[in-house]
Amino acid sequence: MTEAMAKEKATVKYDSQFTKKVYEMENGKWVKMCMQCGICPTTCALKEKMDLSPRRIIQLIRAGRKDEVLQANTMWLCTSCYACACRCPRGVPMMDVMHDLRHLAVENGINHNSQSMAEVYAKDVSKRGRIWEGGLTLNYGLKIGLGNFFKMALDMQDIGKNMMFHRRLTLLPPKGVKNPGKLREVLSRAAEIAKREGAH
Amino acid sequence: MKYTYYPGCSSEGTAISYHHSALEVAKILGLDIKEIDDWNCCGSTVTSSVIGQFAADVLAARNLALAEKMGQEDVVATCSSCYAILGSVNKKFADEKFKTNANDALGKDELSYSGGLNVRMLLDVMVSDVGLETIASKVVKPLKGLKVAGYVGCQTVRALREFDNWENPTFLDDITRTLGAEAVNFSHKLKCCTGAMALSSPDVTISAIYPILKSAHDAGADLIVTPCPLCQMNLDAYQIKVNKIYGTNYNIPVLFFTQLMAIAFGLDRKKAALDYCIVSPNNALAGFGA
């Protein structure tokens, strides 16, 4: 290791703007509430598969360690099972914080299959007001690219066939809300209000 | 007993058997439930990561505004995720600033919500409102000898913590026993099935549901019952993958608890919506005329 490399390794990049940005997000106030007790990683359903535990994520946000936080797979693996939120002595809704972090990661050019799924989902909601599960699968496939889609289709064909055979995936979308245009107006007004209130 | 019913998107597709069996069972129990007119998707737990927390909350709140117009105090959801979302947004209406802002947005669709409803889960309504005695009185085919693993899943009792015991829930097992079956004790009744991750990260889902199936199987369960659409779908549809990857030979039917109630109430297999099950429940239920 050269001296320069050693120096690089020893220097922690601290980005206070990042900390501030997370605090300003809609669930950012909860990050301040965490007392680092470690209950969340001990209850987390998928902690073993996470790069950083939920507790560590909070610690690194406070330390301004932007890259480590945003590049971790932690927020993508949060299933919103509420186990940590239940047991947290401060009542921090960690899954909501994780959702904010996903949002922030995408803003910084980092994406994940889970977010692609969420985006396809949200698009269907704003288009029709309700989800069409069959279409969701297709649109998700298109979003992750044709190559990945074919691989997924091949891997999952047994499951897909079973779902179709048992009439649990409809081939046509079920009806949506009567006036999806109005719903979109509601959502865009909500986005304006959130922005006015300081959320990102 | 009158309720406003929020079916949720899965009631029209992957969890259609829940929707049908719940309505059939409700009829027998004398529950008067009316679907919310023009309901929309609750947004589930993922939408906020795309459109932001507040917009996602308003999306869910639109249903509460519509439900309020229906005139009943209780909105009952069948899906655990819908219940979690609608319930937590409902709580936020206690905050005046949130309420004003949410109603500002809802005003674009000439809607507003006072915050006065209760959001309930069907499982809770069955045990707390209908009561086990009434359920027992409708049983015509006691499910004697049937071993049932009550898989509660994660959000059902944890999201709002307003019914049952969220560390050691009993409601689901209470119903099973009331129907005459045996509720087996298994270690994974509250473990997360990873929900919607089944499509975006199937490997994660498969490794999460294997121990759930294993613990139900090791406890000697003939079948699994659950109150959650995603739990049902993942355990039922992905069982084939678990068998392939872990070299197991599981063949455990996964039913909604309302389907089991339908069987015990003497309804036919069509009303119990059994044909939607991927792992066939025919063997497990053979002795009960289903």
Side-chain angles (χ1 to χ4, degrees):
Chain A
M1 194 184 285
T2 65
E3 197 187 329
M5 277 163 73
K7 232 177 176 174
E8 171 76 13
K9 254 196 142 176
T11 316
V12 176
K13 281 185 194 138
Y14 177 82
D15 182 346
S16 64
Q17 285 309 306
F18 171 67
T19 309
K20 202 166 159 259
K21 170 106 181 171
V22 176
Y23 285 168
E24 282 169 359
M25 293 186 80
E26 287 170 279
N27 295 295
K29 60 176 181 288
W30 294 109
V31 176
K32 295 182 192 170
M33 293 290 286
C34 169
M35 60 185 197
Q36 293 285 298
C37 71
I39 279 283
C40 48
T42 60
T43 60
C44 181
L46 291 179
K47 189 217 148 202
E48 304 299 322
K49 298 193 180 290
M50 288 175 175
D51 296 332
L52 300 169
S53 82
R55 184 202 64 82
R56 182 84 174 135
I57 285 276
I58 301 285
Q59 186 187 36
L60 293 181
I61 291 170
R62 290 167 170 179
R65 307 262 282 267
K66 181 179 175 181
D67 294 344
E68 285 155 276
V69 171
L70 292 185
Q71 278 160 18
N73 66 0
T74 308
M75 55 275 205
W76 312 113
L77 287 183
C78 171
T79 64
S80 303
C81 80
Y82 285 75
C84 58
C86 269
R87 293 182 181 161
C88 173
R90 291 266 170 95
V92 174
M94 193 67 87
M95 58 280 162
D96 293 340
V97 174
M98 292 298 165
H99 288 145
D100 275 4
L101 290 177
R102 283 176 168 207
H103 206 73
L104 192 58
V106 174
E107 259 182 40
N108 282 272
I110 300 164
N111 210 333
H112 182 273
N113 280 354
S114 287
Q115 188 65 4
S116 298
M117 190 66 205
E119 277 164 17
V120 168
Y121 189 101
K123 204 172 163 191
D124 209 20
V125 177
S126 76
K127 193 171 155 200
R128 305 181 323 106
R130 291 187 200 170
I131 300 302
W132 168 35
E133 289 163 320
L136 211 60
T137 316
L138 277 175
N139 287 327
Y140 169 71
L142 293 174
K143 184 146 182 111
I144 59 172
L146 275 182
N148 291 333
F149 183 36
F150 284 130
K151 194 184 166 299
M152 180 183 89
L154 212 63
D155 281 351
M156 293 291 150
Q157 59 175 330
D158 43 0
I159 290 173
K161 262 191 224 160
N162 277 331
M163 293 294 283
M164 299 280 250
F165 183 74
H166 291 275
R167 292 172 293 147
R168 292 175 56 176
L169 281 180
T170 54
L171 290 174
L172 291 171
K175 68 172 185 183
V177 296
K178 287 170 199 157
N179 194 340
K182 283 275 181 201
L183 177 68
R184 282 192 286 274
E185 279 180 43
V186 169
L187 293 180
S188 76
R189 179 71 187 140
E192 275 170 35
I193 294 168
K195 204 168 176 190
R196 183 189 75 201
E197 300 285 331
H200 293 265
Chain B
M1 285 177 274
K2 292 185 173 180
Y3 299 87
T4 306
Y5 171 44
Y6 180 78
C9 297
S10 64
S11 73
E12 301 183 320
T14 49
I16 191 167
S17 50
Y18 198 8
H19 179 65
H20 282 321
S21 58
L23 292 182
E24 293 292 344
V25 166
K27 244 189 264 172
I28 295 210
L29 294 170
L31 291 173
D32 181 0
I33 57 178
K34 276 206 179 69
E35 189 169 320
I36 299 177
D37 183 37
D38 203 36
W39 58 270
N40 60 270
C41 169
C42 71
S44 189
T45 37
V46 297
T47 314
S48 66
S49 70
V50 183
I51 63 175
Q53 186 71 55
F54 181 68
D57 289 347
V58 169
L59 176 75
R62 181 180 177 275
N63 296 303
L64 299 172
L66 291 169
E68 199 167 42
K69 288 189 187 177
M70 309 281 289
Q72 304 306 329
E73 270 183 17
D74 287 4
V75 185
V76 56
T78 38
C79 166
S80 300
S81 189
C82 298
Y83 165 70
I85 298 300
L86 295 180
S88 51
V89 170
N90 193 39
K91 282 186 177 175
K92 289 185 183 179
F93 272 83
D95 179 273
E96 281 304 320
K97 193 177 171 200
F98 177 87
K99 186 167 146 183
T100 309
N101 284 337
N103 280 329
D104 178 341
L106 289 170
K108 291 279 171 194
D109 199 5
E110 288 89 44
L111 290 167
S112 78
Y113 174 55
S114 75
L117 299 175
N118 306 313
V119 175
R120 308 282 306 278
M121 179 76 179
L122 184 66
L123 179 64
D124 177 28
V125 168
M126 288 293 184
V127 177
S128 306
D129 299 8
V130 176
L132 296 174
E133 274 180 33
T134 307
I135 294 174
S137 73
K138 302 292 179 190
V139 173
V140 296
K141 270 185 212 156
L143 306 174
K144 216 171 155 36
L146 190 69
K147 292 183 173 179
V148 178
Y151 178 53
V152 180
C154 59
Q155 296 180 340
T156 309
V157 287
R158 285 201 202 118
L160 300 174
R161 304 182 284 287
E162 286 184 340
F163 71 92
D164 211 346
N165 180 324
W166 51 271
E167 292 285 14
N168 186 21
T170 62
F171 278 21
L172 196 56
D173 288 347
D174 290 343
I175 290 183
T176 296
R177 280 190 286 264
T178 304
L179 303 177
E182 181 190 334
V184 303
N185 193 11
F186 74 116
S187 57
H188 279 58
K189 67 158 70 173
L190 285 168
K191 288 279 192 281
C192 178
C193 74
T194 76
M197 220 174 262
L199 208 57
S200 54
S201 307
D203 297 349
V204 178
T205 298
I206 292 161
S207 66
I209 64 169
Y210 164 61
I212 299 170
L213 289 167
K214 182 177 189 307
S215 94
H217 175 264
D218 293 352
D222 297 315
L223 54 81
I224 293 173
V225 290
T226 177
C228 172
L230 276 171
C231 293
Q232 197 284 334
M233 190 188 78
N234 288 349
L235 292 182
D236 191 10
Y238 283 73
Q239 212 170 118
I240 187 174
K241 288 283 188 210
V242 167
N243 283 337
K244 208 175 271 176
I245 291 167
Y246 291 92
T248 47
N249 198 17
Y250 297 143
N251 190 27
I252 315 171
V254 189
L255 269 61
F256 291 107
F257 73 100
T258 46
Q259 292 180 284
L260 201 66
M261 289 172 87
I263 298 297
F265 292 172
L267 297 177
D268 61 28
R269 61 177 295 123
K270 190 161 187 278
K271 284 187 173 160
L274 294 183
D275 290 336
Y276 296 102
C277 287
I278 291 171
V279 177
S280 168
N282 293 352
N283 279 344
L285 295 173
F288 309 102

